[in-house]
Amino acid sequence: ETGVTQSPTHLIKTRGQQVTLRCSSQSGHNTVSWYQQALGQGPQFIFQYYREEENGRGNFPPRFSGLQFPNYSSELNVNALELDDSALYLCASSSPGRHTGELFFGEGSRLTVL
Amino acid sequence: TQLLEQSPQFLSIQEGENLTVYCNSSSVFSSLQWYRQEPGEGPVLLVTVVTGGEVKKLKRLTFQFGDARKDSSLHITAAQPGDTGLYLCAGNYGGSQGNLIFGKGTKLSVKP
C-alpha cells in the first residue's frame, strides 16, 4: 500500500510569485485535504477535495486554490505569494466511509517566501 | 469559532518519568484524534476516540475522552527518548470529513 506522497519537499519563492504543490493520495483514498502549518503552530485546514470537487474550505483567501484529478491526486496553487505564506503545506488523504475524520498525512512541502 | 487548547505547550522530562498532556475545547467534538509529528515530517495518527468516557491504550500511551466529549488527555507511562516529538490533538466538529481543528501541540522532549 502506497502512502501519501508530496512534491516538492522544499522550495523557495519570492513575494508575488505563484506556486503549485502536488499530492498523491494513499491507495484507495478518494478524499484529499490540504493543511498549512506555520512554525510553532498546529496545522490549519485550507480545503478538501472529494470526487474532483471542493468539499469544504477553511478561512483562506481565494488566491489559495486547488484541483483533484480522476486518479485522486491533487494540487494546491497559491497566487501572489506573501511572506506569511511561508509554512509547511501538508496533504492528507482519507478513505471513503470513514466519518471519524482520520487523516493520513504526507511529509509536507516546506515553502519559504522571501 | 471552535478552538482547541493544548497544555502544556512544552515538556522536558527524564527517561522513565510519566506525563500527561491535555486537550480542551468549549465545543463538543464528534470525534477526536491524537497525532504525533517529528521534525520535517507529517503528523502520524495515534488514536481516534469517539464515545464520551472512552479510554484507549496503545502500549505505554493511554488516551481518555471526556464524558462530555469536550476534552481529552494523553498519558505516557515510563517515557522513553523515542517518545520525543510534537503531540497534536485534532477535533472533528461534524464538518466535512477532512476538516479537523488542530491544537498548537505539545512539544515533548525525553532525555536519556
Side-chain angles (χ1 to χ4, degrees), chain A residues 35 37 48 95 98 100 102, chain B residues 31 33 37 48 97-98 100:
Chain A
Y35 284 79
Q37 187 176 22
Q48 176 182 274
S95 62
R98 298 288 295 187
T100 50
E102 295 152 325
Chain B
S31 66
Q33 289 86 44
Q37 184 177 24
T48 299
Q97 188 179 354
L100 297 181

Side-chain angles (χ1 to χ4, degrees), chain A residues 1-22:
Chain A
E1 186 178 82
T2 307
V4 177
T5 57
Q6 291 186 243
S7 63
T9 54
H10 296 82
L11 69 166
I12 300 173
K13 293 283 188 177
T14 56
R15 273 187 305 175
Q17 285 189 311
Q18 178 264 345
V19 69
T20 297
L21 308 177
R22 295 179 175 83

